[in-house]
């Protein structure tokens, strides 16, 4: 056999083996690829959700707003101790923050408060909350709740608002589109300008004013109708008649010349059918379906378009409880249609709240019994927060439900009227109302280009796992270009020595994980100015700069009908602030933190008052500080530190600190009056911190811990910075003795009780106690809570307070 013949034989044999191997391994389908891409995104993009329990729905300026923060994972709603800081803001109607706070989180919960200043104008505000990690996914994922704030010290809008204009009528084609000659379903909702639902009837007219469909609202101003459009563009108009007889005319969404429509139908109690139809211009194609619920992949499937139609059947019982998202793709993984479906959760947390009596006298003790059980009756432990406030016309807004938020409203766009209805009511009417809700409030949770991208995800905002991250940027002072590889230092002048370091990245960004900083502080950010002086630093705003349309809500406080309650609340606030001002604003004494310096115990410690006080710092160091050697060169003073381990002297300079702030100009430090310095500590060995190694440490501390007038380098950035919020202790008087009950100090509290940390560890229930005030009326107890398994619940009860006869 010739060489050429042998080569041909071997090649044909290898080709045959390869073809056989290909036949044994099934080619990956487009649906499999879609599944893998989504699961990769799911593993990288962990979802957090926040829920805030606010103590009341309506406030007056001068009052305290109290809140509890719950953090759960976005898939299973279990407590998620990922982030250590929550960012809470109060936004005005222009979406500008008027109050901001960084609330520390421990074990997936936190608590905070805002004192509402007298400068706030009356109006609707939005409380929103999020974590640093949540900023990667947009403001649609933040917690948002509308609140009303009334300033009784300024002229406010206590004038009845007009209800004669501003009706909001919206139409939502199922799947997202109306397509010419394809049957489609259209949902709609009718609201007034304050967001209240309205009843209406109507019909759809084509371009020739011929009626092609009729409709009427069902629950909460929503409904749906079906028709087949035969024209394209803005060819159809809806004419509505409201319950007050007023007629409205609105355009339907434009009809596409070609495209896809999606229809979902419950064909049985166990089965859903999703039908995709395409216009004739589309041609033969394979359609992909992806179903997911709160980032949990439910299914992927594919089917060919046969006669312009593809049908998918889904077992309803295999879907997750809550909202499922179904998205249709083509084989190029381009999203075509989307549809939401709601499955009512079966197991829920039931919180029972009951007072020991239905009616109390003023300044009488109230015993409140709390129990937490599942829907099956099984008692379970839960973490709760409790608020008790007086009911009046200003606080008549519905209480937000923790359970409804997790299962429903957090996954929907816009305000949902009576969300608890969809979780507790039963019957065909509820199913129809839930389907209309899914059609009118749905939104795509993802930017599919990012989800299905072939490149790894890059997140701009890291999670704050162990403490607050102070982020900054370093730029060249001449060109404005980012500076990379620059070592920077961050410190806050204090008697507790803490310094943080970071090296700038390619984009000039630096970040410091600062633990234990509370309240308003001065931060000093700098590099070693003896080595790097052509730069400027900027501390970045940690609060989100992205906003969305504020949730709508009715604000009754602007009606003169409520003038009496406004006057009463105004009197309450002024008297409480006058007689109890020193109580509500007191900050809680935090658990003592470690007062050791970041380097631990020093090798040498000198309290200068124990020695002869010299007038020059050079004499202090030369006379009795053993570990520090002072050298004078052409450019001035230099420090070196003894290397205790190797019994020699370091050749490089040590890290020199004054009240925790690095000092790189030794001459300036040596000119300081030593009588202002209380102590000096020396580390006589190398010390590693992060990526840096110091040739010993020399740390000076003044009596006040505020640098005592020391002039920092002009290149150093000194900025006032609000660190973590210090928690306040809720104050309420107790009337345990007859003398206390007979006190002549007025007690006109509107908020009787606030406790953000109640645990029902006793399966028989927990009993709380508090005292009523001098305010007669009806009071509401609101309890929100969560179990370790992710079961959320809301409970409430009422009681009366009447003066003793």
């Amino acid at each position: 056999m010739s060489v050429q013949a042998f080569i041909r034989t071997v090649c044909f044999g290898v080709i045959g083996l390869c073809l056989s191997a290909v036949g044994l391994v099934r080619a990956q389908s487009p649906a499999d690829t879609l599944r893998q891409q989504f699961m990769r995104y799911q593993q990288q993009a962990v979802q957090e959700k926040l829920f805030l329990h606010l103590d009341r729905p309506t406030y007056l300026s001068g009052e305290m707003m109290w809140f509890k923060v719950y953090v759960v994972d976005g898939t299973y709603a279990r407590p998620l101790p990922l982030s250590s800081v929550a960012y809470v803001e109060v936004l005005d109607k222009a979406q500008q923050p008027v109050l901001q706070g960084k609330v520390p989180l421990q074990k997936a919960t936190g608590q905070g408060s805002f004192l509402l200043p007298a400068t706030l104008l009356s109006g609707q505000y939005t409380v929103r909350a999020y974590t640093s990690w949540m900023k990667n996914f947009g403001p649609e994922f933040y917690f948002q709740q509308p609140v009303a704030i009334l300033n009784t010290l300024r002229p406010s809008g206590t004038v009845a608002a007009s209800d004669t204009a501003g009706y909001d009528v919206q139409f939502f084609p199922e799947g997202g589109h109306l397509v010419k000659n394809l049957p489609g379903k259209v949902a709609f909702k009718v609201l007034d300008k304050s967001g209240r639902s309205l009843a209406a009837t109507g019909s759809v007219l084509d371009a020739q004013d011929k009626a092609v469909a009729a409709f009427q609202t069902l629950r909460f101003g929503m409904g749906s109708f079906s028709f087949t459009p035969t024209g394209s563009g803005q060819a159809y108009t809806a004419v509505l008649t409201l319950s007050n007889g007023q007629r409205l005319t609105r355009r339907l969404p434009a009809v596409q010349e070609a495209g896809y429509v999606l229809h979902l139908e419950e064909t049985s109690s166990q089965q859903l059918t999703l039908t995709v139809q395409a216009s004739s211009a589309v041609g033969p194609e394979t359609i992909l379906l992806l179903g997911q619920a709160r980032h949990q992949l439910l299914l992927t499937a594919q089917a060919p378009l046969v006669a312009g139609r593809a049908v998918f059947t889904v077992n309803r019982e295999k879907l997750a409880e809550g909202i499922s998202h179904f998205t249709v793709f083509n084989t190029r993984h381009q999203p075509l249609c989307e549809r939401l479906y709601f499955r009512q959760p079966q197991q829920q947390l039931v919180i029972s709240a009951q007072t020991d009596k239905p009616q109390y006298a003023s300044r009488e003790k109230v015993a409140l019994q709390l129990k937490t059980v599942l829907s099956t009756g099984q008692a379970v432990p839960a973490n709760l927060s409790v608020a008790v406030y007086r009911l009046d016309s200003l606080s008549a807004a519905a209480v937000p439900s923790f359970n409804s938020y997790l299962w429903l409203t957090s996954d929907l766009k816009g305000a949902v009227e009576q969300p608890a209805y969809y979780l507790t009511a039963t019957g065909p009417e509820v199913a129809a109302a839930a389907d209309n809700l899914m059609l009118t409030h749905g939104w795509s949770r993802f930017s599919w280009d990012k989800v299905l991208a072939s490149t790894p995800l890059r997140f701009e905002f890291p999670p704050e796992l162990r403490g607050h991250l102070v982020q900054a940027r370093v730029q060249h002072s001449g060109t404005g270009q980012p500076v990379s590889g620059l070592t920077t230092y961050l410190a806050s002048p204090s008697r507790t020595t803490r310094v943080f370091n970071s090296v700038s990245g390619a984009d000039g960004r630096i970040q410091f994980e600062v633990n234990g900083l509370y309240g308003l502080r001065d931060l000093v950010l700098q590099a070693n100015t003896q080595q790097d002086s052509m730069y400027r630093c900027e501390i970045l705003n940690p609060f989100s700069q992205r906003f969305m349309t504020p949730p709508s809500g009715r604000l009754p406080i602007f009606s003169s009908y409520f003038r009496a309650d406004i006057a009463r609340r105004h009197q309450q606030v002024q008297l409480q602030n006058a007689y109890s001002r020193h109580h509500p604003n007191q900050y809680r004494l935090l658990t003592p933190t470690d007062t050791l310096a970041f380097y631990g115990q020093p090798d040498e410690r000198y309290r200068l008052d124990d020695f002869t006080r010299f007038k020059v710092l050079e004499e202090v160091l030369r006379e009795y500080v053993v570990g520090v050697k002072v050298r004078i060169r052409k450019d001035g003073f230099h420090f070196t530190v003894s290397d205790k381990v190797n019994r020699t002297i370091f050749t490089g300079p040590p890290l020199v600190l004054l009240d925790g702030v690095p000092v790189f100009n030794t001459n300036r430090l040596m000119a300081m009056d030593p009588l202002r310095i209380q102590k000096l500590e020396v580390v006589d060995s190398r010390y590693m911190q992060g990526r840096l190694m110091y040739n010993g440490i020399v740390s000076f501390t003044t009596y006040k811990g505020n640098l005592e007038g020391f002039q920092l380098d002009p290149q150093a950035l000194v900025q006032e910075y609000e660190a973590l919020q210090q928690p306040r202790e809720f104050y309420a008087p107790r009337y345990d003795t007859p003398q206390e009950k007979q006190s002549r100090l007025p007690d006109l509290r509107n908020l009787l009780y606030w406790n953000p940390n109640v645990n029902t560890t006793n399966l028989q229930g927990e009993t709380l106690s508090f005292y009523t005030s001098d305010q007669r009326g009806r009071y509401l107890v609101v309890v929100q809570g969560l179990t370790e398994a992710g079961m959320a619940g809301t409970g409430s009860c009422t009681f009366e307070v009447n003066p003793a006869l």
Side-chain angles (χ1 to χ4, degrees):
M1 180 185 293
S2 66
V3 175
Q4 291 83 357
F6 175 76
I7 293 175
R8 283 196 300 270
T9 303
V10 172
C11 289
F12 283 128
V14 171
I15 291 172
L17 288 172
C18 291
L19 291 174
S20 299
V22 170
L24 292 173
V25 179
R26 183 177 65 88
Q28 192 175 52
S29 69
D32 292 334
T33 304
L34 185 65
R35 171 187 291 269
Q36 291 177 2
Q37 290 175 318
F38 184 85
M39 292 185 67
R40 181 182 61 194
Y41 177 84
Q42 175 187 5
Q43 293 169 358
Q44 297 179 42
V46 177
Q47 294 291 303
E48 287 181 303
K49 279 186 181 180
L50 298 190
F51 178 80
L52 262 63
H53 176 191
L54 303 180
D55 61 310
R56 284 168 287 182
T58 305
Y59 301 88
L60 267 64
S61 60
E63 290 185 323
M64 193 76 70
M65 175 188 290
W66 303 89
F67 55 85
K68 164 81 172 281
V69 183
Y70 295 87
V71 188
V72 301
D73 79 84
T75 301
Y76 301 104
R78 299 190 185 104
L80 181 62
L82 174 67
S83 296
S84 61
V85 180
Y87 296 86
V88 182
E89 300 178 281
V90 179
L91 309 179
D92 62 17
K93 62 181 180 180
Q95 295 292 278
Q96 294 300 309
V98 296
L99 292 168
Q100 295 178 316
K102 307 177 186 74
V103 179
L105 300 173
Q106 290 185 349
K107 298 181 179 179
T109 63
Q111 53 186 288
S113 58
F114 288 126
L115 178 61
L116 303 179
T119 55
L120 293 180
L121 299 177
S122 298
Q124 175 171 305
Y125 292 79
T126 301
V127 178
R128 75 170 186 171
Y130 49 89
T131 64
S132 174
W133 178 248
M134 291 171 67
K135 291 192 292 184
N136 293 299
F137 307 100
E140 297 84 5
F141 291 85
Y142 301 168
F143 172 86
Q144 290 200 104
Q145 181 177 325
V147 296
I149 299 177
L150 180 63
N151 190 333
T152 57
L153 301 177
R154 291 189 174 196
S156 59
T158 56
V159 178
S162 173
D163 292 327
T164 60
Y167 295 106
D168 182 17
V169 181
Q170 298 182 53
F171 296 90
F172 304 87
E174 184 179 22
H177 311 289
L178 286 173
V179 179
K180 182 179 179 180
N181 295 326
L182 293 181
K185 183 177 182 179
V186 179
F188 63 93
K189 64 178 179 180
V190 184
L191 307 173
D192 65 14
K193 70 174 186 177
S194 62
R196 296 173 299 184
S197 60
L198 296 173
T201 59
S203 57
V204 177
L205 308 180
D206 61 14
Q208 288 75 40
D209 290 336
K210 178 182 177 182
V212 296
F215 57 85
Q216 66 178 8
T217 55
L218 301 177
R219 297 282 300 193
F220 310 122
M222 296 181 294
S224 63
F225 58 88
S226 299
F227 80 112
T228 302
T230 57
S232 59
Q234 298 286 347
Y236 294 91
T237 303
V239 179
L240 299 91
T241 302
L242 304 182
S243 55
N244 60 8
Q246 187 166 350
R247 291 174 61 87
L248 303 175
T249 301
R250 296 291 187 270
R251 287 281 189 182
L252 263 63
V255 179
Q256 296 181 355
E257 187 70 30
Y260 304 81
V261 296
L262 171 64
H263 178 61
L264 182 148
E265 184 179 4
E266 288 193 49
T267 50
S268 71
S269 61
Q270 304 293 323
Q271 182 174 291
L272 302 179
T273 300
L274 290 98
T275 304
V276 181
Q277 290 184 272
S279 55
S280 57
V282 172
E285 190 175 15
T286 298
I287 296 297
L288 311 179
L289 177 68
L290 183 145
Q292 56 87 19
R294 302 179 302 280
H295 257 220
Q296 177 186 4
L297 183 65
L298 302 176
L299 62 93
T300 55
Q302 64 183 58
L305 281 174
V306 178
R309 181 185 177 94
V311 179
F312 301 89
T313 57
V314 177
N315 187 338
R316 180 180 177 276
E317 297 302 316
K318 292 185 178 181
L319 295 178
E321 295 180 336
I323 297 176
S324 297
H325 293 245
F326 296 102
T327 308
V328 174
F329 299 85
N330 58 22
T331 53
R332 297 181 298 280
H333 292 177
Q334 296 172 327
L336 305 175
C337 304
E338 187 166 84
R339 180 67 153 87
L340 274 60
Y341 177 78
F342 178 71
R343 183 184 175 202
Q344 194 177 73
Q346 300 302 308
Q347 189 73 283
Q348 300 183 44
L349 178 66
V350 179
I351 300 177
S352 171
Q354 186 64 47
T355 57
D356 57 331
K357 295 194 305 181
Q359 184 170 313
Y360 298 87
S362 59
R363 304 192 180 190
E364 185 177 357
K365 186 176 182 179
V366 178
L368 176 64
Q369 179 77 14
L370 301 176
K371 293 183 180 180
T372 51
V373 299
L374 299 179
S375 303
T376 57
Q378 177 187 354
V380 291
N383 180 253
L384 310 175
S385 49
V386 183
V388 182
Y389 59 89
R390 184 176 179 273
L391 282 173
D392 56 23
S393 56
L394 303 181
S395 57
V399 175
S401 166
F402 195 172
N403 197 37
S404 301
Y405 177 79
L406 293 182
W407 287 112
L408 197 66
T409 56
S410 61
D411 289 333
L412 295 177
K413 184 177 182 180
V416 177
E417 187 174 349
Q418 298 184 29
Y421 167 81
Y422 302 96
L423 276 72
T424 56
T426 57
E429 183 187 31
V430 181
D435 198 51
N436 287 330
L437 182 71
M438 296 300 103
L439 289 166
T440 56
H441 288 71
W443 61 288
S444 180
R445 296 179 59 83
F446 303 110
S447 173
W448 287 106
D449 292 340
K450 294 181 180 179
V451 175
L452 305 180
S454 57
T455 57
L457 293 173
R458 296 179 62 87
F459 297 106
E460 181 180 359
F461 303 101
E464 295 176 308
L465 302 175
R466 293 175 295 273
H468 175 48
L469 293 177
V470 175
Q471 295 189 313
R473 183 186 296 115
V474 184
Q475 295 175 319
H476 193 279
S477 57
T479 64
Q481 295 298 311
V483 178
S484 63
L486 180 67
T487 301
T488 54
Y489 303 84
L490 181 74
S492 178
S494 170
R495 289 183 51 80
T496 301
T497 303
R498 291 188 183 127
V499 64
F500 312 92
N501 63 65
S502 179
V503 179
S504 59
D507 58 355
R509 287 210 173 202
I510 48 180
Q511 65 181 27
F512 308 88
E513 187 176 73
V514 295
N515 296 312
L517 291 184
Y518 287 84
L520 194 62
R521 310 290 291 262
D522 282 334
L523 294 186
V524 180
L525 175 60
Q526 59 182 327
N528 187 339
T529 53
Q530 304 300 301
Q531 302 174 359
D532 306 283
S533 59
M534 298 297 294
Y535 71 91
R536 67 171 182 267
C537 296
E538 174 192 9
I539 295 178
L540 303 178
N541 184 357
F543 289 93
S544 175
Q545 301 303 301
R546 300 171 63 186
F547 302 92
M548 60 178 292
T549 303
S552 60
R554 186 185 179 192
L555 290 181
I557 63 172
F558 295 108
S559 171
S560 57
Y561 172 77
F562 305 99
R563 192 182 304 275
D565 282 328
I566 293 173
R568 187 179 298 108
R569 283 283 292 272
H570 169 80
Q571 182 186 33
Q572 295 168 11
V573 172
Q574 299 309 311
L575 284 173
Q576 286 301 114
N577 288 344
Y579 288 99
S580 304
R581 183 176 297 277
H582 62 289
H583 290 301
N585 299 343
Q586 290 295 314
Y587 286 97
R588 178 189 308 171
L589 293 176
L590 300 173
T591 303
T593 56
D594 190 358
T595 57
L596 278 177
F598 72 95
Y599 46 77
Q601 292 288 352
D603 298 303
E604 303 175 31
R605 178 184 286 115
Y606 302 92
R607 296 187 178 275
L608 272 59
D609 288 335
D610 296 339
F611 300 86
T612 302
R613 298 307 302 253
F614 297 98
K615 295 182 179 180
V616 180
L617 190 56
E618 179 184 0
E619 292 180 336
V620 174
L621 296 173
R622 290 188 186 276
E623 288 296 327
Y624 50 80
V625 180
V626 178
V628 180
K629 311 302 178 185
V630 181
R631 300 287 186 264
I632 300 179
R633 299 173 186 165
K634 291 182 179 180
D635 56 349
F637 291 97
H638 291 264
F639 291 167
T640 55
V641 172
S642 299
D643 184 354
K644 179 181 64 176
V645 176
N646 299 304
R647 298 182 179 180
T648 183
I649 297 177
F650 291 115
T651 57
L655 175 67
V656 181
L657 305 170
L658 177 63
D659 289 336
V661 178
V663 177
F664 302 104
N665 190 327
T666 312
N667 295 329
R668 192 171 293 174
L669 180 65
M670 293 295 279
M672 186 174 180
D673 184 357
L675 297 179
R676 297 181 177 180
I677 298 175
Q678 183 191 39
K679 67 178 180 178
L680 167 63
E681 296 180 340
V682 182
V683 177
D684 294 335
S685 59
R686 284 192 172 92
Y687 185 86
M688 293 192 65
Q689 184 190 32
R691 297 166 61 177
L692 300 186
M693 179 179 288
Y694 306 128
N695 294 317
I697 299 174
V698 181
S699 176
F700 299 88
T701 304
T702 66
Y703 285 95
K704 296 181 180 179
N706 62 356
L707 300 179
E708 289 279 7
F710 179 80
Q711 294 296 314
L712 296 170
D713 192 282
Q715 294 294 330
L717 172 66
V718 182
Q719 180 172 320
E720 196 174 64
Y721 191 85
E722 188 75 40
L724 297 180
Q725 186 181 95
Q726 288 183 306
R728 291 182 172 96
E729 189 74 49
F730 178 78
Y731 168 78
R734 299 186 65 85
Y735 300 105
D736 295 319
T737 65
Q739 292 78 12
E740 290 172 329
K741 284 189 176 182
Q742 294 169 8
S743 170
R744 298 180 65 182
L745 288 177
D747 182 0
L748 299 180
R749 289 172 295 133
N750 177 270
L751 179 67
L752 295 185
Y753 186 71
W754 167 254
N755 191 337
N757 191 22
V758 178
N759 291 289
T760 56
T761 53
N762 182 2
L763 299 184
Q764 299 302 315
E766 296 289 331
T767 301
L768 308 176
S769 64
F770 54 90
Y771 285 83
T772 63
S773 68
D774 298 335
Q775 285 275 35
R776 65 182 303 167
R778 191 163 176 247
Y779 287 80
L780 176 66
V781 178
V782 178
V783 187
Q784 309 277 11
L786 182 70
T787 70
E788 286 292 333
M791 297 291 178
T794 301
S796 64
C797 67
T798 60
F799 61 89
E800 299 282 342
V801 174
N802 289 309
L805 298 178

